[in-house]
Amino acid sequence: MLMLKANPQHTGSIYNLHRKAKQEATNASRKDAKSLTQIYTTNTSLVAILITTIAFAAAFTLPGGYSNGAGSEGLPVMSRKVAFQAFLISDTLAMCSSFAVAFICIMARWEDYEFLVYYRSFTKKLMWFAYVATTTAFSTGLYTVLPPHLHWLAIAICITVALLPILTKLLGEWPVLSLRFRLGKTFNSDLLDIV
């Protein structure tokens, strides 16, 4: 509004007015970004700590338990099964990635604006990876302990759990996908951040 009222013969004052308005808008957007990032950081760190706790507990309460036999005391009973090894790998990946997200959320409280802008998509990807690894650990843990005559149930559980992240992703992006479907070729994905 001040730009409209400015005298065109005073170009120096118009330039200063433009620069001041631009600086105020930039400062306001940075303040909003920091506020939203703090809320996002609090929620994300809580979920990351919960996943870390679940993965840590699952690592010490192994499926099938521990052996009591002579010479193999304290070793996992199911250690030779491929499903058990897949459980250990996915559980470790879930714990490490969610722990990394929690640490990044602690660093996000710093005042570096560029870090606050770019860390969000990275933590989303890491949290997604932790989610997939946690569901994989769950299904492979159940697959390990189910008896051979319930093989159909083990496979059904694995398929159900494998579909869960896919369905979650689709439901999370449903508004964008429906907009893309309705707009067809006129849809411009550069305007949206669906990372």
Side-chain angles (χ1 to χ4, degrees), residues 124 128 166-180 187 192-195:
K124 281 174 99 176
W128 182 254
I166 296 167
L167 291 174
T168 305
K169 182 89 169 154
L170 287 174
L171 288 174
E173 292 182 0
W174 181 254
V176 174
L177 293 174
S178 65
L179 184 64
R180 178 178 287 167
F187 179 77
L192 300 173
D193 179 32
I194 58 170
V195 178

Side-chain angles (χ1 to χ4, degrees), residues 96-114:
C96 291
S97 59
S98 60
F99 193 69
V101 168
F103 185 71
I104 290 170
C105 287
I106 291 169
M107 290 186 337
R109 297 191 190 276
W110 294 351
E111 295 298 317
D112 184 10
Y113 178 72
E114 279 70 29

Side-chain angles (χ1 to χ4, degrees), residues 8-188:
Q9 289 151 345
H10 298 100
T11 55
S13 65
I14 293 175
Y15 173 75
N16 289 336
L17 189 61
H18 177 264
R19 194 174 72 194
K20 181 181 175 189
K22 184 176 179 181
Q23 186 64 34
E24 287 177 6
T26 302
N27 290 340
S29 68
R30 285 182 181 215
K31 185 178 178 183
D32 289 345
K34 287 179 183 180
S35 174
L36 291 173
T37 301
Q38 185 150 13
I39 293 168
Y40 174 79
T41 300
T42 303
N43 295 340
T44 304
S45 62
L46 176 66
V47 173
I49 296 295
L50 286 173
I51 291 176
T52 303
T53 305
I54 291 167
F56 186 83
F60 290 103
T61 55
L62 297 174
Y66 297 98
S67 174
N68 292 331
S72 63
E73 296 92 6
L75 296 177
V77 173
M78 305 284 184
S79 63
R80 290 195 171 99
K81 285 189 164 187
V82 175
F84 179 78
Q85 294 166 4
F87 164 79
L88 287 178
I89 290 169
S90 59
D91 189 59
T92 303
L93 291 174
M95 190 181 123
C96 291
S97 59
S98 60
F99 193 69
V101 168
F103 185 71
I104 290 170
C105 287
I106 291 169
M107 290 186 337
R109 297 191 190 276
W110 294 351
E111 295 298 317
D112 184 10
Y113 178 72
E114 279 70 29
F115 180 75
L116 294 179
V117 169
Y118 294 112
Y119 103 99
R120 187 171 172 243
S121 80
F122 183 67
T123 56
K124 281 174 99 176
K125 290 173 186 169
L126 266 179
M127 281 301 291
W128 182 254
F129 183 73
Y131 173 57
V132 171
T134 303
T135 57
T136 304
F138 175 76
S139 64
T140 54
L142 281 178
Y143 188 89
T144 301
V145 296
L146 286 174
H149 70 275
L150 291 177
H151 191 68
W152 66 271
L153 181 61
I155 291 173
I157 289 171
C158 287
I159 290 171
T160 304
V161 172
L163 290 176
L164 185 63
I166 296 167
L167 291 174
T168 305
K169 182 89 169 154
L170 287 174
L171 288 174
E173 292 182 0
W174 181 254
V176 174
L177 293 174
S178 65
L179 184 64
R180 178 178 287 167
F181 180 73
R182 279 190 279 151
L183 294 178
K185 292 182 179 183
T186 61
F187 179 77
N188 185 1

